[in-house]
Amino acid sequence: MKQLLVRAHQGDKASEDKLFELVLARFNLYARRWIGERDAAADIAQETCITILAKYKTEDFEKGFEAWAYGVLRMNIRHYFHKLSAAKRAESEKEETIRRTLQSNQSVDPDIELALVKCLKKILGVNRRYARTVNLVYQGYRSDEICKRMDISRNNFYVILNRARSVLKKCLEQGIV
Amino acid sequence: MTKQCNAPELGAMLHAYELGALSEEDTERFELHTMTCEFCFGEVASLEEHSIVLQNSDSVQQLVARTAPETDRSRSSGLLRYLWPDAPMIFRPAVTLLLVVLMAIPAYLGLRVLTSDSPEIRSLQAIRLTSTRSVGRNILSIGSGLDGAIGFAVPECAENQPYEVAVTDEQDAVIVHLDACTMIDERGMGEIVFPHNLMKVGTFHLAVTCSDSGSDTDALEYTFVIKE
């Protein structure tokens, strides 16, 4: 991305297009995670890219282009939450709570759901720690709280998840557990 | 796509991010990391739709809830967690406790035997010799495996004077000779124990005299038989 940025600064249109293609792909993914709704997320991602395109050649990036661009996206996402319902949003209500509500409204692809259930049935039966960890996530606990409840270190927590993820991915791709 | 993460300490948050288990701050850190890490972004993108299902599917959440162990560490008692921590087996107090108990049982049983008030009394086969030369019922048995307690009348020796006991076989060979016996019961009877390992089949004579009497006239003589 750095090399594309340098070339884009120098006026290379192809590099600029490629740069923003990579940035947009990322922004679509992030926005969808934060907001939940696919269309709204796509709008925000597009809007952010347009803002960046207009400013990147003149902006002074203190922490680098990526950090600046991501910061612009986060700012747009916060504006979106502000706009949602200013009346309903109490001071104490966190953006995260709203985000969760929006995410839970996302529709689920039934084919993917079926494949996941099939693989998880095999994995969860043998990997009880993974089952317990994910169950705590579903109950609303975050990583620090989960580590405390399970009396494990943060590293251990990540290892449990990533090892299970490797098996899950293999199952989804090849059907092997 | 590159084959490894360029910052593993941030890349480790991958699946936690996909499950939505990260705090807001960590989510931002991870996303910022994927802006520059092709590998991690590729991983996230490859399972993007699946992670949405993971976060939002009721079926998946019900499956996980059914499978997850019922007790977690916060609900288990403090004592249980103390006795059975998440540590190698050898460091679990419950295992140490079990080993101590297993070693203590034989130690306790051994101590009980040692400190018992009634020491084991070896059984004896007992005969009471009559003063005639006939054998009568003066019979010991080798087959019983027991030492023989032989009672006999003691001649009237001087006060505090010990008596001698000599047991000889048919060839007059001395089998037992005790020259300073003092044991006399309330009936004036003495007793010796004839060890089982000295027993042999045959007829034996037992003579009791006062020690240092210098005379055979005070001797009392008995006969007994050892049979199989």
Side-chain angles (χ1 to χ4, degrees):
Chain A
M1 214 180 271
K2 280 189 170 62
Q3 286 178 350
L4 287 171
L5 181 66
V6 167
R7 288 206 283 265
H9 261 290
Q10 290 166 352
D12 184 348
K13 192 73 174 69
S15 297
E16 187 182 76
D17 290 344
K18 182 67 183 168
L19 173 67
F20 280 87
E21 188 187 312
L22 294 176
V23 169
L24 184 62
R26 282 155 171 79
F27 283 4
N28 272 323
L29 192 146
Y30 306 151
R32 200 169 164 199
R33 283 204 176 265
W34 286 103
I35 293 166
E37 292 176 2
R38 196 189 289 266
D39 293 337
D43 288 342
I44 289 174
Q46 287 270 4
E47 199 181 296
T48 308
C49 280
I50 291 167
T51 307
I52 290 168
L53 186 61
K55 291 184 174 180
Y56 84 98
K57 283 187 178 173
T58 55
E59 191 71 30
D60 182 25
F61 316 124
E62 281 181 23
K63 294 182 182 175
F65 166 76
E66 293 87 1
W68 171 76
Y70 181 75
V72 175
L73 174 71
R74 284 295 288 135
M75 191 174 64
N76 286 345
I77 290 172
R78 287 196 184 100
H79 279 317
Y80 173 79
F81 284 124
H82 273 285
K83 279 193 292 187
L84 260 188
S85 177
K88 284 184 195 172
R89 232 178 104 255
E91 280 302 308
S92 59
E93 191 175 356
K94 290 182 179 174
E95 178 182 304
E96 189 177 325
T97 312
I98 300 171
R99 171 166 69 94
R100 293 203 167 279
T101 310
L102 289 172
Q103 282 180 339
S104 66
N105 292 338
Q106 288 190 77
S107 60
V108 160
D109 185 321
D111 293 331
I112 293 177
E113 187 182 41
L114 189 63
L116 261 176
V117 166
K118 238 169 130 178
C119 287
L120 284 172
K121 267 184 185 166
K122 294 180 196 174
I123 294 167
L124 296 172
V126 293
N127 193 338
R128 308 292 283 215
R129 294 187 94 183
Y130 179 61
R132 190 196 290 171
T133 307
V134 177
N135 197 33
L136 287 171
V137 173
Y138 289 151
Q139 288 174 25
Y141 295 102
R142 287 293 153 259
S143 51
D144 286 341
E145 293 160 323
I146 294 170
C147 289
K148 219 173 178 180
R149 289 179 79 91
M150 290 179 68
D151 197 21
I152 55 175
S153 67
R154 192 177 259 250
N155 276 344
N156 207 352
F157 169 67
Y158 292 145
V159 165
I160 291 168
L161 291 182
N162 289 327
R163 277 186 185 162
R165 184 188 186 274
S166 303
V167 178
L168 179 63
K169 192 176 177 186
K170 199 173 177 184
C171 176
L172 291 168
E173 288 171 354
Q174 301 168 21
I176 303 165
V177 173
Chain B
M1 191 172 85
T2 53
K3 292 205 171 150
Q4 61 182 19
C5 174
N6 63 17
E9 69 282 4
L10 292 170
M13 295 193 275
L14 172 62
H15 198 38
Y17 172 76
E18 288 174 329
L19 290 170
L22 296 177
S23 64
E24 194 174 306
E25 190 186 333
D26 281 342
T27 300
E28 287 182 350
R29 283 176 65 218
F30 181 77
E31 286 182 344
L32 189 54
H33 164 66
T34 60
M35 286 288 288
T36 57
C37 180
E38 281 288 331
F39 176 79
C40 285
F41 178 72
E43 284 294 323
V44 173
S46 69
L47 289 186
E48 184 188 357
E49 294 299 327
H50 296 84
S51 61
I52 288 169
V53 173
L54 271 176
Q55 288 194 40
N56 298 299
S57 162
D58 290 336
S59 306
V60 169
Q61 293 188 21
Q62 283 165 17
L63 172 64
V64 169
R66 276 200 310 271
T67 319
E70 280 183 9
T71 53
D72 68 24
R73 288 179 186 277
S74 68
R75 272 188 254 144
S76 61
S77 72
L79 180 63
L80 188 65
R81 202 166 49 206
Y82 173 76
L83 288 175
W84 202 260
D86 188 15
M89 192 69 76
I90 197 165
F91 295 128
R92 292 181 178 171
V95 173
T96 310
L97 215 60
L98 183 66
L99 286 173
V100 167
V101 168
L102 286 175
M103 286 191 293
I105 291 172
Y108 167 72
L109 292 174
L111 271 174
R112 227 174 59 160
V113 169
L114 283 175
T115 56
S116 169
D117 285 335
S118 54
E120 189 185 12
I121 299 172
R122 287 168 45 212
S123 299
L124 298 168
Q125 49 179 329
I127 56 173
R128 196 173 297 281
L129 299 176
T130 55
S131 58
T132 63
R133 279 186 174 271
S134 68
V135 172
R137 290 195 288 181
N138 302 341
I139 301 171
L140 293 174
S141 165
I142 294 176
S144 68
L146 303 172
D147 295 341
I150 303 174
F152 45 83
V154 176
E156 285 184 13
C157 305
E159 197 175 339
N160 298 327
Q161 185 182 19
Y163 58 90
E164 283 184 35
V165 177
V167 177
T168 55
D169 62 12
E170 288 160 308
Q171 285 80 40
D172 280 335
V174 176
I175 307 298
V176 172
H177 182 241
L178 304 167
D179 57 6
C181 298
T182 55
M183 206 279 290
I184 298 176
D185 65 18
E186 58 275 9
R187 290 169 293 182
M189 301 290 285
E191 188 178 80
I192 62 163
V193 174
F194 195 101
H196 180 265
N197 60 337
L198 294 180
M199 288 186 188
K200 56 184 179 181
V201 173
T203 303
F204 297 83
H205 301 289
L206 185 145
V208 188
T209 54
C210 297
S211 294
D212 302 325
S213 67
S215 162
D216 286 341
T217 55
D218 293 331
L220 292 177
E221 294 184 342
Y222 307 91
T223 301
F224 66 94
V225 166
I226 296 180
K227 289 186 176 177
E228 282 289 340

